[in-house]
Amino acid sequence: MAENPMVEDRTAEGPVAETGTAAEQLPRVFTGTHDNLDGADGHTPWPDDVPAGQDDTWYPLRDDPWKARRMEYIIAAFWGITAVCGIGLMIVYWTGGQAQYEGALLLLAFASLGTGLVLWARYLLPGHDITASRGHHVSDPEERAAIVESLSRGTEAILSRRGFLVKKVLVPVGGIFGIAALWPLASLGTRPGDALYHTKWYPGARLVTEDGNALHVDDVMVDGLLTVFPEGYIDDASSGAVVLNIGGAPIQARRGQADFEVVSGANGIVAFSKICTHAGCAVSLFNVLTMQLICPCHQSTFNILQDCSPVFGPASRPLPQLPLLVDAEGYLIARSDFIEPVGPGFWNRSGD
Amino acid sequence: MSTMAERSAARKRAKLEQQALDWADDRLGSSKWLRSALDKIFPDHWSFMVGEIAMYCFVILLATGIYLALFYNASSAVVVYHGPYKALDGQSMTEAYASVINISFSVRAGLVMRQAHHWAALIFMAAITFHMGRIFFTGAFRRPREINWIIGVTLLLVSMLEGFSGYSLPDDLLSGSGLRVVFSIIQSIPLIGPWLAFNLWGGAFPGSGAFFERLFLIHEFLFPLLLAGLLGGHLAILWHQKHTDFAGPGKTEHNIVGSRLWPQYTIKSTALLTFVAAVIFGLGGLVQINPIWVFGPYEAARSSAGTQPDWYVGWLDGAMRLWPHWEFRSFGHEIANPFFPGILLPGIVFTFIYAWPWLDKRLYADYGEHNLLDRPRDKPLRTALGVAALFFFVDLTLASATDVIGNGLQISFERLIEILQYGSFIGPIVGGLVAYRVCILLQGGKVHPIQRPVGGIITRDARGAYHTLGADHGGNGHGGNGHGGNGHDGNGHDGNGHDGNGHDGHGEDEPLERVAVGHGDPGGGNGASAALGGDGLGSPGTFGTGTLGEATSGGGGDPAPAE
């Protein structure tokens, strides 16, 4: 019983009745007064977090030194694995590093370290299943009243007597100064201006592929799909366009755009912006059977033969068509920039 | 048991500890706080570890992130790659992309660190989401924990942005497409959209040379600082209010049962850190993730099929795919399509999540304090709403992979998108109704510890202490149970004070309790537990008043029938 003095003490004292002496005999249990029940949260707490009257020294293997010693060896073995893995990691690292070995060794090292810790905590360390009071997490009513007094002492002085300073001076001054502080934000970037309305296409710009090769009118295979840029602006983010040879297939162009197509012999060549009108991804999938362009990001689908109008998915506007011409040497050129903004929508898209 | 040498060493150590603590106390007055800190109790339940897992993911993210930051080059200057990865040899790319290729192939342990960082981010988000679900379904957000709910949701939001900004840093084809979509979403905001997007990117997409520096600054400084601060607040509030716990024998609204911070909880929690590290570094070394060398560098005119973001952004990407092709144009102005799924939907979702603690108060007309958790089945409506939200979330997340799933299932992506469009309405309704029904069924089942008849199994352990297992009595609803009971005799002190009348709610029917007490000193229990008897939370805001050795209070719970 010596292992558990608190229990023994209590037994020796005999039954503890619900009197004040109980508190005196077990000071860690209860030191508050019984009538302090109208506290902020209505119950009488223990004085602090310290659990009372519980055996803090007990752990599962306390009374079995042999098992405890065996557990120590098991834990030591697990931590030994961690050390071995550490040596292994040094060797792997020294010899140039190898991701799989590193991962496996780290996994093993950390897992054995943790296993040892868990066994240690579970079998050899006291402090399980302790009960304690939650105590108060709120202040006493007196303190609550006092803080209001302290606060209003200040606000009274500021607002009642010098109210005009705050309302008529400080607020406007802060406003002006605050707006001044916002000015440097303008350095963050260029203003949109007309950037969203135009691309790098210009009248007479040759259509060049990513490799810089100008596209001859006879180079475009029927049912093939090529990505082109205006000459001099390869990889420009807003100018990418797709060029297709639809052969003699009838294309239903938008009003006034019928002559955007180049017809040369059996070739019917059209070019559309490659920037999706939904969220700006590159519309890079081509279903040659249905003559549809599909955006891989959100599956907006555009029907090439119907002026590249959206037929499925979240896009709501057709891909803008690039007006094409053939120059004297037979190369495809742009007649002008796109006649409307390319890519996703924005607040002022239809105006300037 | 202990030898002379051991005892003398212990005395010596105690003296040293005293000196060190005195030194600190002389300067900081730290002893009082430190003592209550070391003795602090944390309840044990597996679901309480999930928030900790998130915290330890954050620790590992910081550690691996610092290593990666040593080698990452936030530059959009174009270079030609010559290095050990031959498939990209001679290709031009930004320095940002080249530096990540370099980390993956040339920096020792670079690939492990990079992949561990990515895995840690995915698990971080999963742990946060799971943790939030646990808080929601058990009602742990109720008074007094509303502030921590707000901080927690903000942590979720910032972590999402942090994850996305990190995912975008390598400037590969996949993440570049993601940035393009986000630019479009921001550009779609009415009135200020284009201006905002241009200011963030430093110009028209793909932005000025400063863009990756900005993104890097945000990712490795601004957001981590914010996360660390929010996490600190989250933990400080948790520390002050103490952790919630499930109802159970011996547990009341006013006590807390569990392990002490020192040494139990510290060692166990450290073990959790090492297990989290084991999983993350194991995945980091053995399971490939985000192989940017396969995707290639970003080019605006390219994007490939199977373009998916990381899972926690999937629901937004899915919303972008499922949202109908609406755009509103009038008076020369336009609200572009990406605004609705990209800004409006997450705005509504997060507003709803932020407001939930107050909606819940109204729903249940319950404005009182709660330290004991609800079981999901006891609040069927809340549970049903939560399950409905999960179905909605899963539906949208599935939608972010329509092309991949469509390929796998051999159905066209058009049909799949239509199915998921309907699913986003039908799924939550069906899921919610089923969840509601399951809650009701579970409530009627016999596996409800709170409604178990008084009594139970009495066991005698090796030390001679008696335990009553499952001896629970009455007190239904929020936490009106437990008091007295046996809980705190787990560690051998006998007698455990429920002798008296401390436990409320069932004045007459307590015969079996007597049996358990009988072996010990009838009066001498550690009255403390009896003191915490009453806790009728029947009326909002007021607490029962169980006091030492007095059978008072008793509000709230109905006594369960004795059998």
Side-chain angles (χ1 to χ4, degrees):
Chain A
M1 286 310 276
E3 292 161 12
N4 201 342
M6 303 215 57
V7 172
E8 182 150 56
D9 285 348
R10 270 182 282 139
T11 318
E13 309 275 353
V16 179
E18 53 271 32
T19 63
T21 53
E24 285 155 29
Q25 285 160 1
L26 296 168
R28 290 177 71 203
V29 174
F30 185 77
T31 54
T33 58
H34 285 190
D35 52 7
N36 182 24
L37 296 176
D38 52 354
D41 68 352
H43 78 280
T44 307
W46 287 325
D48 51 35
D49 277 327
V50 184
Q54 300 175 70
D55 185 355
D56 278 351
T57 60
W58 181 83
Y59 55 88
L61 297 185
R62 185 179 65 177
D63 301 325
D64 195 338
W66 189 81
K67 271 191 183 162
R69 178 46 58 100
R70 195 181 61 170
M71 185 54 69
E72 284 175 20
Y73 285 126
I74 293 172
I75 293 167
F78 273 110
W79 290 347
I81 295 173
T82 306
V84 171
C85 290
I87 294 166
L89 276 169
M90 282 190 261
I91 295 169
V92 171
Y93 197 78
W94 184 258
T95 54
Q98 206 275 357
Q100 280 87 358
Y101 289 146
E102 284 161 2
L105 286 167
L106 284 165
L107 168 68
L108 199 56
F110 278 121
S112 358
L113 187 61
T115 308
L117 286 170
V118 165
L119 292 174
W120 192 23
R122 187 165 166 72
Y123 293 105
L124 299 178
L125 288 176
H128 300 266
D129 290 331
I130 306 280
T131 304
S133 166
R134 283 186 178 272
H136 284 301
H137 73 270
V138 293
S139 310
D140 293 339
E142 301 84 54
E143 283 163 3
R144 290 188 181 203
I147 177 75
V148 174
E149 210 178 297
S150 297
L151 183 68
S152 57
R153 190 188 308 134
T155 43
E156 195 73 358
I158 290 170
L159 287 176
S160 307
R161 270 169 265 159
R162 307 284 175 261
F164 86 97
L165 264 181
V166 178
K167 288 172 206 155
K168 301 237 169 84
V169 184
L170 208 53
V171 169
V173 165
I176 291 166
F177 199 54
I179 291 166
L182 287 177
W183 235 249
L185 285 181
S187 310
L188 278 177
T190 57
R191 281 192 290 168
D194 62 353
L196 290 171
Y197 298 93
H198 300 293
T199 69
K200 301 288 191 219
W201 289 100
Y202 54 92
R206 277 190 176 166
L207 277 58
V208 296
T209 63
E210 233 180 339
D211 307 322
N213 300 320
L215 212 55
H216 196 274
V217 69
D218 298 326
D219 286 348
V220 192
M221 298 291 133
V222 172
D223 292 344
L225 182 84
L226 287 168
T227 299
V228 293
F229 298 94
E231 190 167 21
Y233 295 99
I234 291 174
D235 281 347
D236 178 72
S238 62
S239 306
V242 289
V243 177
L244 293 119
N245 186 345
I246 54 171
I251 183 165
Q252 182 191 325
R254 276 192 278 168
R255 186 193 300 258
Q257 302 188 7
D259 57 348
F260 283 15
E261 178 187 357
V262 162
V263 181
S264 157
N267 297 329
I269 297 171
V270 287
F272 294 96
S273 165
K274 202 180 177 181
I275 313 299
C276 185
T277 54
H278 171 231
C281 290
V283 183
S284 46
L285 304 179
F286 176 39
N287 185 339
V288 73
L289 293 176
T290 55
M291 289 301 273
Q292 287 176 339
L293 290 171
I294 301 155
C295 178
C297 285
H298 307 108
Q299 280 95 45
S300 289
T301 306
F302 303 89
N303 187 345
I304 296 161
L305 298 181
Q306 273 177 16
D307 62 34
C308 252
S309 287
V311 290
F312 184 83
S316 81
R317 281 172 288 113
L319 295 171
Q321 187 170 3
L322 185 69
L324 294 182
L325 286 176
V326 182
D327 69 6
E329 296 164 59
Y331 287 104
L332 289 167
I333 56 169
R335 194 200 302 166
S336 71
D337 193 1
F338 292 100
I339 61 166
E340 60 195 316
V342 301
F346 52 97
W347 182 244
N348 275 328
R349 196 182 56 83
S350 38
D352 287 77
Chain B
M1 267 204 287
S2 50
T3 63
M4 285 279 283
E6 272 171 13
R7 277 198 294 273
S8 113
R11 268 199 301 276
K12 230 182 205 168
R13 195 163 48 242
K15 206 176 152 206
L16 274 175
E17 283 169 358
Q18 183 72 58
Q19 281 171 353
L21 290 170
D22 282 348
W23 189 93
D25 195 73
D26 286 343
R27 283 146 189 88
L28 306 168
S30 50
S31 288
K32 184 165 183 239
W33 182 84
L34 215 54
R35 171 168 165 251
S36 75
L38 293 181
D39 279 341
K40 203 164 185 69
I41 306 286
F42 288 86
D44 295 309
H45 189 272
W46 65 268
S47 69
F48 300 165
M49 294 196 305
V50 184
E52 270 183 82
I53 290 175
M55 180 174 75
Y56 290 136
C57 282
F58 185 61
V59 170
I60 292 169
L61 282 165
L62 288 180
T64 51
I66 288 169
Y67 188 76
L68 296 176
L70 298 173
F71 303 101
Y72 177 71
N73 184 356
S75 156
S76 34
V78 176
V79 291
V80 176
Y81 177 75
H82 294 291
Y85 188 65
K86 293 301 168 203
L88 286 175
D89 198 66
Q91 187 151 346
S92 54
M93 54 184 67
T94 59
E95 283 187 329
Y97 182 80
S99 71
V100 182
I101 291 291
N102 196 38
I103 288 170
S104 306
F105 291 107
S106 306
V107 174
R108 275 186 220 195
L111 185 60
V112 171
M113 291 292 188
R114 214 197 107 222
Q115 296 194 137
H117 193 70
H118 202 122
W119 277 115
L122 299 186
I123 298 172
F124 182 53
M125 292 306 301
I128 291 175
T129 311
F130 196 107
H131 177 63
M132 187 174 82
R134 199 272 293 172
I135 301 292
F136 176 86
F137 285 112
T138 61
F141 52 80
R142 293 174 298 173
R143 187 179 165 184
R145 294 181 176 78
E146 304 96 327
I147 299 173
N148 244 7
W149 173 263
I150 297 290
I151 294 177
V153 178
T154 311
L155 274 166
L156 172 71
L157 193 60
V158 176
S159 302
M160 267 181 68
L161 296 171
E162 170 71 347
F164 185 80
S165 65
Y167 163 89
S168 303
L169 283 176
D171 196 26
D172 58 290
L173 187 56
L174 189 60
S175 69
S177 303
L179 282 175
R180 172 69 246 204
V181 173
V182 169
F183 189 95
S184 305
I185 290 173
I186 295 173
Q187 181 184 303
S188 72
I189 298 172
L191 217 60
I192 58 164
W195 176 85
L196 190 60
F198 273 59
N199 273 317
L200 288 172
W201 263 258
F205 189 83
S208 72
F211 175 67
F212 279 101
E213 284 170 31
R214 289 181 190 176
L215 196 63
F216 190 41
L217 179 81
I218 287 171
H219 181 72
E220 50 102 56
F221 177 71
L222 219 53
F223 283 160
L225 197 69
L226 196 56
L227 285 175
L230 288 168
L231 188 59
H234 203 61
L235 293 173
I237 291 175
L238 162 80
W239 182 276
H240 178 69
Q241 297 179 333
K242 298 191 177 72
H243 204 286
T244 52
D245 201 354
F246 285 103
K251 294 174 182 175
T252 73
E253 286 285 349
H254 306 309
N255 73 3
I256 185 163
V257 181
S259 313
R260 279 180 202 232
L261 180 71
W262 181 254
Q264 260 298 318
Y265 194 75
T266 307
I267 302 292
K268 274 198 290 195
S269 195
T270 311
L272 186 60
L273 168 63
T274 65
F275 285 131
V276 171
V279 169
I280 285 173
F281 283 106
L283 288 168
L286 300 171
V287 186
Q288 187 184 70
I289 188 151
N290 201 26
I292 57 148
W293 53 90
V294 176
F295 307 148
Y298 178 64
E299 291 169 54
R302 285 175 193 261
S303 46
S304 71
T307 302
Q308 269 82 43
D310 277 348
W311 78 267
Y312 50 86
V313 190
W315 64 288
L316 290 172
D317 189 55
M320 293 281 290
R321 298 181 191 212
L322 295 190
W323 200 272
H325 57 278
W326 300 336
E327 263 179 7
F328 296 98
R329 299 180 199 106
S330 55
F331 304 111
H333 292 297
E334 169 177 280
I335 302 178
N337 184 284
F339 174 74
F340 303 102
I343 303 282
L344 193 64
L345 178 81
I348 292 171
V349 165
F350 271 95
T351 306
F352 196 71
I353 299 176
Y354 272 119
W356 181 256
W358 289 272
L359 297 176
D360 191 86
K361 283 184 214 294
R362 294 190 73 115
L363 187 64
Y364 289 106
D366 179 359
Y367 299 84
E369 280 202 6
H370 299 278
N371 291 318
L372 288 178
L373 296 169
D374 282 330
R375 294 192 321 160
R377 70 187 69 166
D378 295 331
K379 292 285 165 69
L381 191 55
R382 181 200 293 149
T383 303
L385 276 170
V387 170
L390 278 180
F391 269 70
F392 183 67
F393 178 80
V394 168
D395 186 89
L396 293 189
T397 305
L398 286 177
S400 75
T402 37
D403 42 352
V404 177
I405 297 170
N407 266 346
L409 298 179
Q410 293 295 312
I411 45 176
S412 71
F413 65 80
E414 289 97 335
R415 293 296 81 70
L416 192 58
I417 285 176
E418 280 166 7
I419 291 168
L420 290 170
Q421 279 173 332
Y422 286 114
S424 66
F425 289 96
I426 296 167
I429 293 170
V430 172
L433 287 175
V434 169
Y436 193 90
R437 187 79 199 118
V438 167
C439 286
I440 302 295
L441 285 174
L442 283 173
Q443 279 180 5
K446 289 192 172 162
V447 282
H448 200 306
I450 293 173
Q451 291 178 340
R452 209 180 291 171
V454 172
I457 303 159
I458 300 163
T459 61
R460 182 177 188 272
D461 68 17
R463 284 162 289 129
Y466 285 91
H467 303 260
T468 54
L469 299 179
D472 226 318
H473 27 81
N476 208 341
H478 20 238
N481 69 326
H483 37 78
N486 61 339
H488 23 72
D489 54 2
N491 43 2
H493 60 91
D494 59 347
N496 52 25
H498 29 241
D499 55 280
N501 12 21
H503 29 156
D504 53 340
H506 61 116
E508 333 288 9
D509 50 336
E510 51 181 3
L512 276 171
E513 290 284 306
R514 287 293 180 199
V515 178
V517 176
H519 82 286
D521 41 338
N526 67 353
S529 54
L532 294 176
D535 66 312
L537 277 181
S539 49
T542 60
F543 285 78
T545 55
T547 55
L548 184 67
E550 286 173 332
T552 54
S553 77
D558 299 324
E563 282 183 26

